Amino acid sequence: MSDRPLPRTAEHDAPSSEETLTWRALGRGLGQAWEALRQVHREPRLTLLALLAILLLAAALRFTGLDWDEGQHLHPDERFLTMVENSLRWPRSLSEYWDTAINPLNPNNHGHGTYVYGLFPVVVTKFVGQALDMTGYGRVYLVGRAISGCMDLLSIVLVFLLGRRLYDNRVGLLGALLSALTVLTIQQSHFFTVDNFTMFFVTLALYAAVRVAQGDGWPSVALLGVAFGLAVSAKISVLTFLGIIGLAFLLRVLRRAWPAALAPSSDMASNAGCRCEVHAASPAPRERRLRLGRFALRWRLEADPACGPLSPWERLFLGALRALPTFLLVLLIALGVFRIVQPQAFTGPGFFDLRINPKWAETMGYISNLVSGKIDYPPSHQWTDRAPVLYMLEHMVLWGLGLPLGLAVWASWAWMAWELYQRKWAHLLPWVWMTGTFF
């Protein structure tokens, strides 16, 4: 036999699928898909259709199998909320609502002294359940689960708006799609709990904070106060978001009074989905006006021209003084909203009686000691001998998000950190909130 090699056929010449499917080819494919989304990015109608398709997919995942436990009430927190909802009654007047001692919507007045959540989720569920004639222990929890899913759908819309505001429509749509496919939120949408309510209010507050940081006016300021008040009323632990509000106002002041500090992030203003501007410091004073019928009250804060031009730090200080009333207004709005939707936190009996209810404060202290481990509690035993960060990270990546999405999230977190190091400030608010919440 001849030792010459056999001629290669066309079948041998064709590369196998294992040879062609490389990471580089996958990267090129994803890049081409991302570029193809430019058409969607530039066409509002296509963007809307894509968002609707994502919401339909999300709804199918969230509203399928709502009665997964077939009426057995297997979720302990959901079972407790169902019991609380069934015991509450509507007040006969506003004065009765503000009076904590007699308010029939106060869980403490019905023997639920350890109710630590907000009143808003159970009240909304009670109202909708009565409107749909789905009341009672055996039916109203299904209403609560459906509303929980609806709140998550609204959160997906907010993720789109947030991505579009900071970057462009493509980022918004990708974020909405990933949120729609997140395992943890799909699971939570099948429970009558306060988690999806809290997530919606926090996401709304983050979106409003971004708008405020970018220099938006009074509607965004009011929205931030309302969203923050509702978020804190759902879960008191969301008080930590106050740091994000302060950071948003710091960015607002820097953009107006010290624009050079944010110059490298001017890409925020050029994105198609972002309507922000980097404002140069203006020597003209800012004037506030308040009209009372035929009268107008005007006041303004300005630098004294006789003292010469301001230094950068003086402009920053002046900008902070000008922003302080707006910041305090956000807190005042949040307090008002909290007073309305969480009346049991105050003693009453009037709306303006803002003394903290000792029973409510005691309950908040009790739950704080419970989750910190100062009080021995069987459900907390699962945290015994667990690595403080790695244990949560493992379960978030493997089960809460799923391995592909979990790795993508933390890779994005690291990439945002690198770009923040390069003074690209578009990522600052979401990155700080994610970092502070997890760690």
Side-chain angles (χ1 to χ4, degrees):
M1 295 180 61
S2 174
D3 293 334
R4 289 182 301 173
L6 295 174
R8 295 181 64 87
T9 64
E11 180 179 357
H12 288 101
D13 291 335
S16 66
S17 61
E18 294 181 355
E19 294 174 335
T20 57
L21 186 58
T22 62
W23 285 109
R24 181 176 297 178
L26 180 61
R28 283 198 302 266
L30 292 175
Q32 292 170 359
W34 186 252
E35 289 299 320
L37 283 176
R38 286 187 180 276
Q39 185 64 26
V40 177
H41 164 62
R42 294 169 179 169
E43 183 60 48
R45 185 176 299 178
L46 292 178
T47 300
L48 178 59
L49 290 176
L51 180 60
L52 290 177
I54 292 172
L55 291 176
L56 286 176
L57 173 63
L61 295 173
R62 282 151 180 80
F63 298 131
T64 299
L66 277 184
D67 195 15
W68 53 272
D69 58 346
E70 298 179 346
Q72 298 302 308
H73 302 275
L74 297 181
H75 192 297
D77 291 341
E78 179 186 72
R79 184 166 61 248
F80 179 54
L81 260 68
T82 304
M83 295 167 60
V84 170
E85 185 280 332
N86 273 266
S87 66
L88 301 183
R89 299 293 180 266
W90 297 112
R92 292 168 296 183
S93 64
L94 276 178
S95 60
E96 190 176 55
Y97 180 76
W98 303 129
D99 192 345
T100 295
I102 62 173
N103 182 5
L105 285 176
N106 182 5
N108 291 334
N109 293 336
H110 300 280
H112 303 293
T114 57
Y115 186 79
V116 298
Y117 306 112
L119 196 60
F120 184 81
V122 292
V123 169
V124 169
T125 301
K126 187 176 190 67
F127 177 82
V128 175
Q130 291 184 351
L132 298 177
D133 195 23
M134 293 187 64
T135 59
Y137 185 76
R139 302 183 69 189
V140 75
Y141 71 95
L142 294 175
V143 178
R145 292 177 179 180
I147 296 177
S148 180
C150 290
M151 300 303 290
D152 193 36
L153 291 182
L154 292 176
S155 296
I156 293 173
V157 174
L158 286 175
V159 168
F160 165 75
L161 294 176
L162 186 60
R164 184 181 69 170
R165 185 81 188 185
L166 286 172
Y167 311 104
D168 58 34
N169 285 337
R170 292 176 298 173
V171 175
L173 289 173
L174 179 60
L177 178 61
L178 296 178
S179 297
L181 298 176
T182 300
V183 177
L184 183 60
T185 56
I186 295 173
Q187 180 197 48
Q188 292 298 321
S189 296
H190 288 76
F191 300 149
F192 170 30
T193 56
V194 304
D195 298 275
N196 280 355
F197 286 86
T198 306
M199 184 177 66
F200 168 72
F201 294 138
V202 170
T203 310
L204 180 61
L206 182 60
Y207 174 66
V210 167
R211 295 181 66 101
V212 168
Q214 293 173 350
D216 269 23
W218 294 110
S220 295
V221 170
L223 179 63
L224 177 56
V226 171
F228 180 53
L230 288 171
V232 174
S233 70
K235 274 193 175 182
I236 195 67
S237 58
V238 184
L239 270 174
T240 55
F241 192 83
L242 187 60
I244 299 298
I245 297 177
L247 186 58
F249 272 92
L250 176 60
L251 291 175
R252 182 185 182 95
V253 170
L254 287 172
R255 185 163 290 109
R256 292 182 179 274
W258 202 359
L262 298 180
S265 65
S266 58
D267 58 308
M268 291 177 64
S270 61
N271 286 328
C274 177
R275 301 170 181 82
C276 61
E277 297 179 1
V278 177
H279 299 272
S282 174
R286 177 176 296 180
E287 185 175 74
R288 303 289 186 184
R289 297 183 180 183
L290 177 64
R291 180 167 294 279
L292 302 172
R294 299 178 61 183
F295 303 94
L297 175 64
R298 296 183 176 91
W299 69 98
R300 65 186 185 183
L301 180 65
E302 60 180 323
D304 188 352
C307 297
L310 298 178
S311 68
W313 287 105
E314 288 173 330
R315 287 201 306 270
L316 180 63
F317 181 69
L318 178 61
L321 290 178
R322 288 174 173 175
L324 182 59
T326 309
F327 175 76
L328 294 178
L329 178 62
V330 169
L331 300 185
L332 183 62
I333 293 174
L335 176 61
V337 171
F338 184 80
R339 176 70 179 99
I340 293 172
V341 299
Q342 194 78 342
Q344 71 269 24
F346 306 90
T347 58
F351 175 82
F352 294 101
D353 192 340
L354 300 180
R355 292 174 298 170
I356 297 297
N357 179 12
K359 176 61 178 176
W360 180 81
E362 179 185 346
T363 302
M364 293 299 106
Y366 171 75
I367 195 63
S368 176
N369 291 331
L370 211 62
V371 299
S372 66
K374 293 180 179 180
I375 297 178
D376 187 30
Y377 186 54
S380 299
H381 292 174
Q382 61 178 314
W383 303 108
T384 303
D385 198 26
R386 306 292 189 186
V389 175
L390 295 180
Y391 178 76
M392 295 182 292
L393 182 64
E394 175 189 355
H395 280 259
M396 173 185 286
V397 171
L398 293 180
W399 312 112
L401 298 174
L403 191 60
L405 179 55
L407 294 177
V409 164
W410 286 103
S412 300
W413 175 83
W415 182 258
M416 285 193 295
W418 170 249
E419 292 210 321
L420 284 171
Y421 176 75
Q422 296 178 317
R423 296 168 63 102
K424 295 182 179 180
W425 305 112
H427 318 302
L428 186 60
L429 291 182
W431 187 87
V432 170
W433 176 242
M434 176 183 175
T435 304
T437 301
F438 185 81
F439 293 101

